[in-house]
């Protein structure tokens, strides 16, 4: 789910830490360079998009979902459509997991019967009791999956503070990167005798920060929507994976 669960792998921008970008790159490489396994060869793989390509994709959805929101702001419908399109592979991945677990359970039950029951009654025991129980459990698992998927088709929502934590961390890191870049532009280095003297011009720092402001309202709205989607996606996939595990 974590490796293949998103339709697009969008390269993170400045709001992500270097550790997060490296983890994302390794996860993507792990999927693309995975050994040929017949059981997973048909499973979906995320398509890689640069940050600019990701923003262009979001802007296309923005044009389709535009409502009465002020230019440059984000309405929940935009984030919902991004989320719904990105979780497209979830059903296929979940069904694959359910079927794999069912096959393993059947193989285990068959092994237990073969090692403990007389040969002449093994097939009858399996056919009359075990096989029917396994099929019933498999159908129940698929029904439960349908319930989960129907809930996911609603507008995403959460009361988990991890959502706002993700947003604040991303914005803080983005601001830190902006300040670092502006500080570098305001730096002046001079030789004072045998020593190097470095000074920083506050006016240049302020101007450099102002130059980084996004004046294109659609670009700004798209980047905000991508940030909000990323935060709610992390919460949802974490809770969904935990639910599937138990």
């Amino acid at each position: 789910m974590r490796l293949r669960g998103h339709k697009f792998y969008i390269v993170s921008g400045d709001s992500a830490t270097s550790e997060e970008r490296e983890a994302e790159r390794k996860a993507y490489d792990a999927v693309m360079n995975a050994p040929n396994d017949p059981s997973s060869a048909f499973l979906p793989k995320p398509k890689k998009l640069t940050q600019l390509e990701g923003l262009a994709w979001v802007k296309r959805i923005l044009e389709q979902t535009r409502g009465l929101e002020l230019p440059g702001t984000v309405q929940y419908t935009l984030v919902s459509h991004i989320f719904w399109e990105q979780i497209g592979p979830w059903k296929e991945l979940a069904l694959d997991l359910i079927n794999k677990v069912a096959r393993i359970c059947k193989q285990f039950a068959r092994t237990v019967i073969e090692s403990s029951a007389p040969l002449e009654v093994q097939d009858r025991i399996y056919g009359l009791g075990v096989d029917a129980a396994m099929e019933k459990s498999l159908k129940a698992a698929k029904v439960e999956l349908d319930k989960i998927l129907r809930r996911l088709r609603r507008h995403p929502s959460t009361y988990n503070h991890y959502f706002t934590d993700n947003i604040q961390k991303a914005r803080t890191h983005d601001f830190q990167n902006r300040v670092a870049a502006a500080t570098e532009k305001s730096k002046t280095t001079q030789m004072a005798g045998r020593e190097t003297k470095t000074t920083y011009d506050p006016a240049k720092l302020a101007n450099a920060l102002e130059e980084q402001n996004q004046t294109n309202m659609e670009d700004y709205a798209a980047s905000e929507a991508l940030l909000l989607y990323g935060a709610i996606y992390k919460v949802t996939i974490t809770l969904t994976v935990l639910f599937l595990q138990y």
Side-chain angles (χ1 to χ4, degrees):
M1 289 286 284
R2 295 186 185 279
L3 296 179
R4 300 173 182 265
H6 39 283
K7 180 179 179 180
F8 297 117
Y9 159 57
I10 303 174
V11 178
S12 296
D14 291 338
S15 60
T17 64
S18 57
E19 292 81 6
E20 289 173 334
R21 286 195 290 269
E22 180 64 15
E24 290 175 358
R25 185 191 64 77
K26 287 182 178 179
Y28 177 76
D29 290 343
V31 173
M32 302 309 293
N33 301 323
N36 293 327
D37 180 3
S39 65
S40 60
F42 67 92
L43 292 177
K45 294 182 179 181
K47 179 182 178 182
K48 186 175 183 179
L49 299 180
T50 66
Q51 182 70 195
L52 289 177
E53 288 172 336
L55 290 174
W57 167 63
V58 172
K59 283 196 286 186
R60 286 196 294 272
I61 300 177
L62 172 61
E63 292 172 358
Q64 297 166 3
T65 61
R66 195 183 304 279
L68 299 177
E69 73 277 9
L70 292 170
T73 62
V74 178
Q75 64 158 324
Y76 68 90
T77 306
L78 172 59
V79 179
S80 297
H81 277 79
I82 297 171
F83 178 80
W84 291 331
E85 188 163 347
Q86 277 287 69
I87 67 170
W90 283 23
K91 180 177 181 179
E92 189 174 350
L93 293 171
L95 280 174
D96 178 67
L97 174 62
I98 289 172
N99 289 325
K100 280 182 178 177
V101 172
R103 285 195 299 271
I104 292 171
C105 290
K106 287 183 178 180
Q107 290 169 2
F108 176 75
R110 172 65 73 176
T111 301
V112 171
I113 293 172
E114 289 175 352
S115 63
S116 59
L119 180 62
E120 59 271 15
V121 297
Q122 288 178 6
D123 289 339
R124 279 184 289 171
I125 293 174
Y126 189 84
L128 293 175
V130 177
D131 189 52
M134 292 290 182
E135 286 299 321
K136 183 179 179 181
S137 296
L138 178 58
K139 289 179 181 178
K142 291 181 177 180
V143 169
E144 192 62 34
L145 175 61
D146 285 338
K147 292 178 182 178
I148 295 172
L149 293 174
R150 283 200 299 270
R151 287 197 294 268
L152 290 172
R153 293 307 301 176
R154 303 171 187 167
H155 292 288
S157 63
T158 183
Y159 294 102
N160 194 312
H161 69 88
Y162 185 43
F163 172 65
T164 49
D165 285 349
N166 287 329
I167 294 173
Q168 292 176 81
K169 287 177 182 177
R171 286 180 172 158
T172 297
H173 193 73
D174 179 59
F175 180 69
Q176 290 171 340
N177 286 336
R178 291 177 59 198
V179 170
T183 301
E184 192 64 26
K185 286 187 176 183
S186 70
K187 182 172 69 174
T188 302
T189 303
Q190 296 177 330
M191 293 298 298
R194 296 182 178 181
E195 297 181 354
T196 301
K197 183 179 181 182
T198 301
T199 59
Y200 297 90
D201 188 331
K204 288 183 179 180
L205 175 62
N207 288 335
L209 282 172
E210 190 172 343
E211 288 172 358
Q212 296 176 21
N213 289 340
Q214 178 57 263
T215 56
N216 185 301
M217 292 187 287
E218 287 200 351
D219 286 347
Y220 180 77
S223 62
E224 282 292 292
L226 206 52
L227 185 150
L228 293 172
Y229 147 74
I232 192 62
Y233 183 87
K234 288 180 180 178
V235 174
T236 306
I237 193 170
T238 298
L239 296 178
T240 302
V241 169
L242 287 173
F243 181 82
L244 291 174
Q245 286 175 342
Y246 295 100

